[in-house]
Amino acid sequence: MPIIVDVMQNKILGPEIRKALKQGREEGQLTLLTRMIEARFGPLPHWAKRRLSAMPAAEFEQLGLSMMNASSLKELLK
């Protein structure tokens, strides 16, 4: 009979897996946001890529919404 263990409840592995999942979601959000901005404003200059990669993930959603009203990349990333 197999033993079923929820690895997320493990005191050692659980926190590491949750951390990796969170990091993966944040990287995916950044990738999608970058593609959306490039579709709207064209290829990103280096300063914009640096600004996006330094931005806290908590700001990604607001930036995505702000993109709808921004008339330029500089206005969006001010």
Side-chain angles (χ1 to χ4, degrees):
M1 181 195 266
I3 299 174
I4 299 175
V5 177
D6 184 358
V7 73
M8 297 300 277
Q9 299 300 321
N10 183 286
K11 291 181 182 180
I12 296 171
L13 297 177
E16 291 301 313
I17 291 171
R18 282 189 286 281
K19 180 180 171 184
L21 289 171
K22 181 181 180 209
Q23 182 180 0
R25 280 191 303 272
E26 290 173 356
E27 288 174 6
Q29 289 172 337
L30 178 58
T31 298
L32 178 60
L33 184 59
T34 300
R35 288 181 180 173
M36 291 170 58
I37 292 171
E38 286 177 332
R40 173 97 191 264
F41 299 111
L44 296 179
H46 292 294
W47 68 266
K49 289 178 184 179
R50 284 192 306 272
R51 170 76 173 90
L52 285 172
S53 64
M55 183 177 291
E59 293 181 22
F60 291 165
E61 183 177 347
Q62 182 58 45
L63 186 65
L65 294 172
S66 297
M67 189 177 64
M68 295 169 58
N69 296 321
S71 59
S72 70
L73 182 59
K74 286 184 181 183
E75 180 184 338
L76 178 66
L77 296 177
K78 60 181 174 180

